[in-house]
Amino acid sequence: METTGTRRSTAWLPAIWCLTRLVLLLFVLKVYVFPGPDVTSDVHVIYQGWYDVLRTGTFPQQDVTWQYPPAAALAILSPGLLPFWDYATAFFALICVTDLVVLALLARAGRRPGRTPRGAWVWVIGVPLLGPTVYARYDVMVTAVAVAALLAGARHPRALGALATFGALLKVWPAMLLLAARQRSAWVSALGTGLVVTALFLLTMPGPFAFLTFQRDRGTEVESLGALVFHVARHFGWQGEVLLNYGSIEFLGPYVTEVSTGALFLTGAAFAWLVLWRLLARRFEEHTLADAAFVAVLLFTTTSRVISPQYMVWLVGLAAVCLCFPGSRMRLPVALVLVACFVTVLEFPLYFANVVASDGLGLTLLFVRNGLLVAASLIAARALWRASVPRTLPAPEHPEPAARTGETPVSS
């Protein structure tokens, strides 16, 4: 039964959402200028350029910055639904509406019996902690699909499968939402959706999978965990450069390939651990689906060669779903992720010049943010394992020996 305190808590949600999102809109619309690099240039220049190409019925196959699955074209084309505004304004408006849809989904889920409104609060607070960057990328749209998939998962496995696959065709990572799915119907739905959507793009638009080559050739981005090696090495004479490469600021020079390979090894190790967890897990509760998805995406984000600021909104969305369930084991990792979001807006865009220069402030911010992600990953993985994997497998039952029971064995 809903308490008076809970009702009062949820009553503040719309007001705080409106206030914080108004501030974000004022920044991306440049009514007020947020310090640091212009985070909206991706929308005004890159996204609009892709939009012009996609409208002709083809993918931007010659543009190495196009590194997204085919359904991403729908997100880039979506501002065309609001022709009375210029491209950027329409994009920001659609992101804001999508943000509100996520809040509505989480608030509705939090009102159900046995749920809590904490998830909605995580979303309301976590998104503005990332600053205006979160409204200047299409990741909120992808996160909305992922949130809808997880919230539908318990009762509607087919919806989980379809939405997770569609999300994966928007930006790959939502495929990990299926990690803890046990119903066969979820996997059948996922496969069917993937085949249908992929076939539609293959038949109607050339070059839907050119992005795979561009992703393969990426290096070590300056905000990633592996980049800390080069930030420190620059103070000891490392002869390398920091340049714009494949759409992000990356390290180029000696040993970059080796560090990038090491990051891929860590990601592979994380995947192997997740597979092992799935094989050994025996206790599946209502919140396990969301907890497992959060852990999986957290591990892959932390070990990635690239940790762009907008990646954090994925974690905020999944964290919000976890905390809709009172039994979730992810409270501490979620708190660490929210602190990491605040540090993220400090390192980009506020003090990004310091990060690129590898000075004391930039190094400190990166060590703190990436350290928080590493700590959250380890704590979350341990909590998931302890909650779902039995410490010892049950021993097989054996009949008592006749000498101990006093009975004479009967031969058959």
Side-chain angles (χ1 to χ4, degrees), residues 351-377:
Y351 298 108
F352 191 60
N354 301 83
V355 171
V356 173
S358 302
D359 66 15
L361 177 58
L363 269 173
T364 300
L365 290 173
L366 280 185
F367 268 106
V368 172
R369 197 281 301 275
N370 292 347
L372 287 166
L373 289 180
V374 170
S377 298

Side-chain angles (χ1 to χ4, degrees), residues 130-145:
L130 292 167
T133 305
V134 75
Y135 265 31
R137 307 291 187 270
Y138 81 91
D139 294 82
V140 171
M141 295 180 177
V142 186
T143 304
V145 175

Side-chain angles (χ1 to χ4, degrees), residues 28-112:
V28 294
L29 293 173
K30 298 184 179 179
V31 177
Y32 297 103
V33 177
F34 199 81
D38 180 12
V39 300
T40 67
S41 61
D42 278 27
V43 179
H44 288 284
V45 179
I46 299 176
Y47 283 14
Q48 187 153 12
W50 291 341
Y51 174 82
D52 293 335
V53 175
L54 290 166
R55 288 178 64 191
T56 66
T58 185
F59 286 91
Q61 301 176 65
Q62 307 305 316
D63 186 348
V64 297
T65 62
W66 176 260
Q67 299 171 15
Y68 307 108
L74 301 178
I76 302 302
L77 289 169
S78 62
L81 298 172
L82 304 175
F84 41 85
W85 281 331
D86 63 84
Y87 181 87
T89 302
F91 181 86
F92 301 142
L94 288 174
I95 293 295
C96 187
V97 170
T98 307
D99 181 356
L100 182 59
V101 169
V102 176
L103 174 62
L105 290 172
L106 292 166
R108 182 171 179 268
R111 288 194 298 268
R112 291 176 181 169

Side-chain angles (χ1 to χ4, degrees), residues 292-383:
F294 175 69
V295 171
V297 176
L298 180 57
L299 287 172
F300 276 80
T301 300
T302 303
T303 60
S304 174
R305 294 174 295 171
V306 179
I307 306 181
S308 295
Q310 63 268 24
Y311 291 11
M312 299 297 293
V313 76
W314 313 345
L315 300 176
V316 172
L318 299 183
V321 177
C322 289
L323 292 201
C324 285
F325 301 95
S328 173
R329 308 304 201 275
M330 297 297 134
R331 293 187 187 182
L332 178 55
V334 166
L336 293 174
V337 165
L338 290 178
V339 177
C341 287
F342 175 69
V343 181
T344 296
V345 79
L346 296 179
E347 62 92 359
F348 184 89
L350 278 172
Y351 298 108
F352 191 60
N354 301 83
V355 171
V356 173
S358 302
D359 66 15
L361 177 58
L363 269 173
T364 300
L365 290 173
L366 280 185
F367 268 106
V368 172
R369 197 281 301 275
N370 292 347
L372 287 166
L373 289 180
V374 170
S377 298
L378 296 175
I379 294 169
R382 182 174 181 265

Side-chain angles (χ1 to χ4, degrees), residues 382-395:
R382 182 174 181 265
L384 178 65
W385 186 279
R386 294 186 66 179
S388 52
V389 177
R391 293 189 178 183
T392 57
L393 295 176

